[in-house]
Amino acid sequence: MELNDANLQTLTEFLRKTLDPDPTVRRPAEKFLESVEGNQNYPLLLLTLLEKSQDNVIRVCAAVTFKNYIKRNWRIVEDEPNKISDPDRTAVKANIVNLMLSSPEQIQKQLSDAISIIGREDFPQKWPDLLTEMVARFRSGDFHIINGVLRTAHSLFKRYRHEFKSNELWSEIKLVLDTFALPLTELFKATIELCQTHATDVNALKVLFSSLTLIAKLFYSLNFQDLPEFFEDNMETWMTNFHGLLTLDNKLLQTDDEEEAGLLELLKSQICDNAALYAQKYDEEFQPYLPRFVTAIWNLLVSTGQEVKYDLLVSNAIQFLASVCERPHYKHLFEDQNTLTSICEKVIVPNMEFRSADEEAFEDNSEEYIRRDLEGSDIDTRRRAACDLVRGLCKFFEGPVTAIFSGYVNSMLSEYAKNPRENWKHKDAAIYLVTSLASKAQTQKHGITQANELVNLTEFFVNHILPDLKSPNVNEFPVLKADAIKYVMIFRSQLPKEQLLQAVPLLITHLQAESTVEHTYAAHALERLFTMRGPNNATLITAAEMAPFTEQLLNNLFKALAFPGSAENEYIMKAIMRSFSLLQESIVPYIPTLIGQLTHKLLQVSKNPSKPHFNHYLFESLCLSVRITCKANPTTVSSFEEALFPVFTEILQNDVQEFLPYVFQVMSLLLEIHSNSIPASYMALFPHLLQPVLWERTGNIPPLVRLLQAYLEKGGETIARSAADKIPGLLGVFQKLIASKANDHQGFYLLNSIIEHMPPESLTQYRKQIFILLFQRLQSSKTTKFIKSFLVFVNLYCVKYGAIALQEIFDSIQPKMFGMVLEKIVIPEVQKVSGPVEKKICAVGITKVLTECPAMMDTEYTKLWTPLLQALIGLFELPEDDSIPDDEHFIDIEDTPGYQTAFSQLAFAGKKEHDPIGDAVGNPKILLAQSLHKLSTACPGRVPSMLSTSLNAEALQFLQGYLQAATVQLV
C-alpha cells in the first residue's frame, strides 16, 4: 500500500464504516481492515490520518485502530508470520514519540499506550534511545508535552509492580533509574516550586497537579521491586515534599462534584500508597519519616467527608494505617486503649456505613456493586479498607478490638430492632462489622478458612441471619437479604452442614428476588455450596439431599435469566452449570425443555458475544446436558444434534470467532458418543474444517484437532471411501502444525489418528512424504517436545504396520537411515517419553523392532540390538528424564498478545485418554519376555549370547524378572 492520497481516502471511508451501528455495514469494513493490515505502510497510513485528517472522529478512530493493530501484531511470535515489516517498525519507532507529544490528549493517550506496548517488546535492546528522547522533553517547559512523557513513562514502568524478579528485570530497572531518576527528581522539585509561583492561577495548578500525580505514580513503580540507592539518598527531598503535599489544602483545587475525585484527592491518594509501600517494604529507612506521615494521614481521615469523591483517598489512607499497624516495629503506636477506641470510633465505624451512594449503586449499577463487593475488584472501597484495618489491628490486639466492636454491634442491632424500616442500615453495618471481625483468612475456594474464636458465628446466624432469609417477602429490605446470603457464602466452611441445608431452599427462593444483587448473590451462594467437599471428597451436599428442591432450583435459575439486567448474568449461568454437575442423572427428565432454553440463549448471545464468562458457562452447561443424558441413553445424541446444529451452523457461517473453539469442542463430544459411523450431517461439514483461515487462529487449533481426531476415529473408512480427495487437505493441516514449535504436538495428535484409523492403502502414496517432512523439521529445529512426539509416532507406526515396514520406509528415504534414527534418536532419547499410554506405545514398538525385524539380527544394524534393548529396559525401570536444554523456552500459547480468543478448554467436554493398543497388550514387560522367547526359539543360541556379551548386569537382572513373570526362558 503506497503512502498516497487515494489510499488515505479509502482508509478514511472504511474507518468511518467501522463506526456504523448497522452490523451489515460495520462487519465487512472490519474484515477489509483485517485483510489489509499485513500490507507494508498500513501503520504509517494510520499515523498519517491521525495526524493530518481534517475530521476529528477519523483521527481518534485511526488512533484507536493503530493501537489495537500494534497490540495484535507487534510481538514477534516464533513460527508465526511477522505481520509488520522491518521498515514499518523502524518508521513507527522514529515518529511515534513526536506524534504522541504533539497530539491532542484523546489521541495522545492511545499513542502513549501503543508506545508502552512496543516498549514492552523492544525496550531497551531494540529501542535504546526511547528514554533519552523522552527525558530531553522535560526541558521543554511545556507541560502538555511533559505530561505526555510522564503518562507514557507511567504505562511503560507500571509493569514493574507485578513482574517477577529476574536479572533481566533488574538490569532494565537499573538502566531506567540511571537515565530517569535524576531528571524526574529535578522535575518534581521544579513542579512544586511552580505550584507556589502559580498558587492563584487555577488553570496552571490543574496542569501542575496532574503532573505531580503522574510523578507520584512513577515513584511507586520505580520503588516497587527494591529500594533504589538513588531514592534512598534523596529520600529527604521526596518525603518532605510528599508530606507537604499531603497537608496542603488549596481552595482553588477543591471541586463541587460529589462523585468525581479531584486532582488534590488523586495526588494525596497516590502519596498514601507511596507511604504505605515504604512502611511495608523499607521500614528501617522510612522510620524517621513515619510518625509525621501517621499524623498527617490520621488528620486527613478525621477531616475528610463521606462524599464518593473521597473514596479512593480514604481507602488508601486507611490501607496505609492497616499496613503500619500489623508491623511489629510500629505496634507501640497503637497500644494505648484510647488510640484503639478512637480508631474504631472515628475511622472504622464511619467508613463501614452504607451510604446513599452505595444504595444507588446497589439499585442502579448492580454489576459494578457486585464486582466490588463479591470479587474485591481493584476499585478499593471504604468498607474493604476498613475491614482490612480491623484485620490488621486484630493481629496484635484481637481481644480489645473485639470487645470495643461487640459494644458497637449490639447497639446497632438494638437500634435496628426498635424500628427496622427506618434503621435497617444499622443492621447492615453490624453484619459487616461481624464479618470483618470474624474473618482471619479467606480463599476463593472455601470462603473464610480461619475465624476469630471470640465471635460465635453459628449463634449470630441463627439469631440475625436466618430470620432475614426466612422472611416471606423476598423483595423487602433487599440489602439486608443480600447481606444474609453473603454471610452464608462467606462462612460456609464454618457453619455446620445442617444449617447450610436449611439455607439451600431459602436461597432457591431468593433467586426470584427482583433485585439484581440479591438474585445474583443467591445464585453465587448456591454455586459455592454445591462445590463444597465433604468427607471422602464427595460433594458435601448430595443429589439425594437436593431431590425435593430440584425442580424449583432449575425453574428459578432459568427464570432469573429473564430478569432485566440478568440476561447474561455469569453467576446464574455458573450456578446452572454447577447444579447440572451436582444433580447428574436427576436432571434427565428436565433436559428436553432446558436444552431449548439453552440453545435459544446461545442464539441470542452469538449475535454479539460480550460476556466471555457467561458464554463459557453456557457451553459447559450444554456439554453437561449432552454428557449426562447420553450416558443414560446414547441414542439421544441425535436429538441434541437437531437442537444444536442450526445454531452451530449460524455461528460458523457468521464466523463468530469467540464461539468457534467452543462449537468444535461440543461437536467433538457429540461425535465421540456415536457408535462407529459418521452421520451425513458431519460429513457435509468436513471439507470446511480444513480451510486454512480456520487454522490461522491459535485458539481454534486444539479443539479443531480434537474434532478431526473424532472424525478419523468414527469414520476413517468413510473418509477414505467418500472423501479421498480431502486426504491431501488433512495432511496439509498436519504439515502446517508440524512446522510450528508451539503447535507441533497437535500435528502429531492428528498424524497418530490418521495412522491409527485410516485404511493403510489410502495412505500408501503419502507415507514417504510424511516421514520426509518430519526429518526436515528435525534438521531445522529439534526440540525436546518434538522428539518425544516423534518417538511416539514412529513406534505407533511400527505397532500398526510392523517393524519391517518401518525399517523399509526409513531406508527407502536414504540408505542406512533406520540405523541412524535408532542410534541418534530412539536409544538416547526414549527415556524422555512421558505419559503411561505414550510409554506403552514406545515399549510395544521397540519390542517389535527387537524381535520382528530380521535386519536387526543379520546386518550392520545388529550392533544396535543390545543398546536398544538396554534403552527399553531403561524406559521400564529408570525415572523419566524430564530435563530440558537451556535454550528451549517454549512459547506458551496463552502468551499470544492482543485480543485473540485463546483456546478455552471446556472442563465438561473433556476427552477420555485413548490407548491405541488397548487390551491387546496388558503388560509390555511380559510382551517383551514372550517376544524374546519366540525370537530365541526361531534362532537358538543367538539371543542369550548377545545378552551375555553386552547387556549391563542390572538390566539383565530386570530382564530375568520379566522372563520369570512370563514363565518363559530363552534358548
Side-chain angles (χ1 to χ4, degrees), residues 249 253-266 268-269 272 300-301 303-318 351 355 380-382:
D249 189 15
L253 286 172
Q254 288 176 352
T255 55
D256 298 332
D257 189 333
E258 289 200 354
E259 300 282 317
E260 198 66 39
L263 287 166
L264 206 53
E265 288 83 47
L266 289 173
K268 289 182 177 184
S269 307
C272 287
L300 198 75
L301 278 171
S303 60
T304 302
Q306 283 282 8
E307 292 83 355
V308 174
K309 68 174 172 184
Y310 300 124
D311 283 6
L312 183 67
L313 173 58
V314 169
S315 77
N316 282 0
I318 297 177
N351 286 301
R355 300 166 303 167
D380 294 305
T381 58
R382 292 175 178 238

Side-chain angles (χ1 to χ4, degrees), residues 723-736:
D725 57 328
K726 295 295 172 282
I727 296 176
L730 199 55
L731 293 169
V733 169
F734 150 74
Q735 184 174 357
K736 176 181 165 47

Side-chain angles (χ1 to χ4, degrees), residues 655-885:
D655 191 27
V656 184
Q657 295 190 15
E658 299 89 325
F659 281 8
L660 293 185
Y662 290 128
V663 168
F664 297 143
Q665 287 177 83
V666 181
M667 286 183 63
S668 305
L669 180 66
L670 291 164
L671 184 49
E672 284 157 9
I673 291 167
H674 279 275
S675 52
N676 296 329
S677 66
I678 292 198
S681 52
Y682 287 87
M683 278 314 288
L685 186 67
F686 183 64
H688 300 287
L689 301 178
L690 304 175
Q691 286 173 348
V693 57
L694 282 179
W695 295 88
E696 290 301 317
R697 298 181 206 136
T698 38
N700 285 347
I701 290 173
L704 261 179
V705 166
R706 175 180 168 193
L707 182 53
L708 289 179
Q709 284 183 288
Y711 269 90
L712 289 160
E713 187 189 332
K714 297 298 175 187
E717 302 277 349
T718 318
I719 293 171
R721 203 174 47 249
S722 63
D725 57 328
K726 295 295 172 282
I727 296 176
L730 199 55
L731 293 169
V733 169
F734 150 74
Q735 184 174 357
K736 176 181 165 47
L737 294 174
I738 217 77
S740 144
K741 279 189 195 168
N743 297 314
D744 51 17
H745 60 294
Q746 296 285 349
F748 276 112
Y749 292 160
L750 186 59
L751 179 60
N752 291 347
S753 286
I754 292 172
I755 294 297
E756 188 186 345
H757 300 295
M758 293 288 283
E761 62 283 358
S762 66
L763 298 174
T764 312
Q765 55 184 334
Y766 307 111
R767 270 185 238 168
K768 191 166 173 182
Q769 188 53 37
I770 290 174
F771 278 90
I772 290 171
L773 284 172
L774 294 176
F775 281 122
Q776 284 168 343
R777 168 63 211 271
L778 267 175
Q779 277 167 332
S780 67
S781 68
K782 177 175 147 184
T783 63
T784 306
K785 178 165 73 119
F786 185 85
I787 287 190
K788 284 161 73 166
S789 302
F790 177 75
L791 285 169
V792 174
F793 160 70
V794 167
N795 284 299
L796 181 68
Y797 188 93
C798 178
V799 172
K800 181 82 180 160
Y801 293 117
I804 297 175
L806 183 69
Q807 177 245 318
E808 285 174 348
I809 196 159
F810 276 138
D811 287 345
S812 73
I813 295 172
Q814 191 186 317
K816 305 204 174 79
M817 175 72 100
F818 181 57
M820 283 190 274
V821 171
L822 289 180
E823 189 176 359
K824 299 278 190 303
I825 299 176
V826 180
I827 293 169
E829 305 281 7
V830 75
Q831 208 55 49
K832 292 204 160 95
V833 173
S834 52
V837 173
E838 288 80 354
K839 286 183 162 179
K840 183 176 174 183
I841 292 170
C842 289
V844 176
I846 292 174
T847 299
K848 282 183 172 294
V849 171
L850 286 166
T851 61
E852 294 175 19
C853 178
M856 286 299 288
M857 299 300 282
D858 301 313
T859 63
E860 68 271 31
Y861 295 156
T862 311
K863 64 177 188 293
L864 299 171
W865 192 88
T866 326
L868 184 61
L869 176 62
Q870 178 106 16
L872 174 56
I873 296 172
L875 178 67
F876 287 145
E877 306 298 344
L878 292 172
E880 184 186 310
D881 170 11
D882 54 7
S883 62
I884 283 186

Side-chain angles (χ1 to χ4, degrees), residues 363-375:
E363 287 166 10
D364 305 329
N365 192 356
S366 46
E367 210 167 306
E368 182 57 32
Y369 181 91
I370 291 164
R371 193 158 59 240
R372 287 183 189 183
D373 192 43
L374 264 195
E375 300 170 19

Side-chain angles (χ1 to χ4, degrees), residues 1 10-11 14-15 26-37 42:
M1 291 173 86
T10 311
L11 202 52
F14 278 103
L15 285 172
R26 187 178 70 246
R27 283 236 170 99
E30 290 167 349
K31 284 265 183 282
F32 169 78
L33 290 178
E34 205 178 307
S35 70
V36 297
E37 72 174 23
Y42 175 74

Side-chain angles (χ1 to χ4, degrees), residues 336-351:
D336 181 18
Q337 181 75 20
N338 295 334
T339 309
L340 284 175
T341 309
S342 158
I343 290 177
C344 294
E345 189 179 315
K346 295 192 172 136
V347 175
I348 293 171
V349 173
N351 286 301

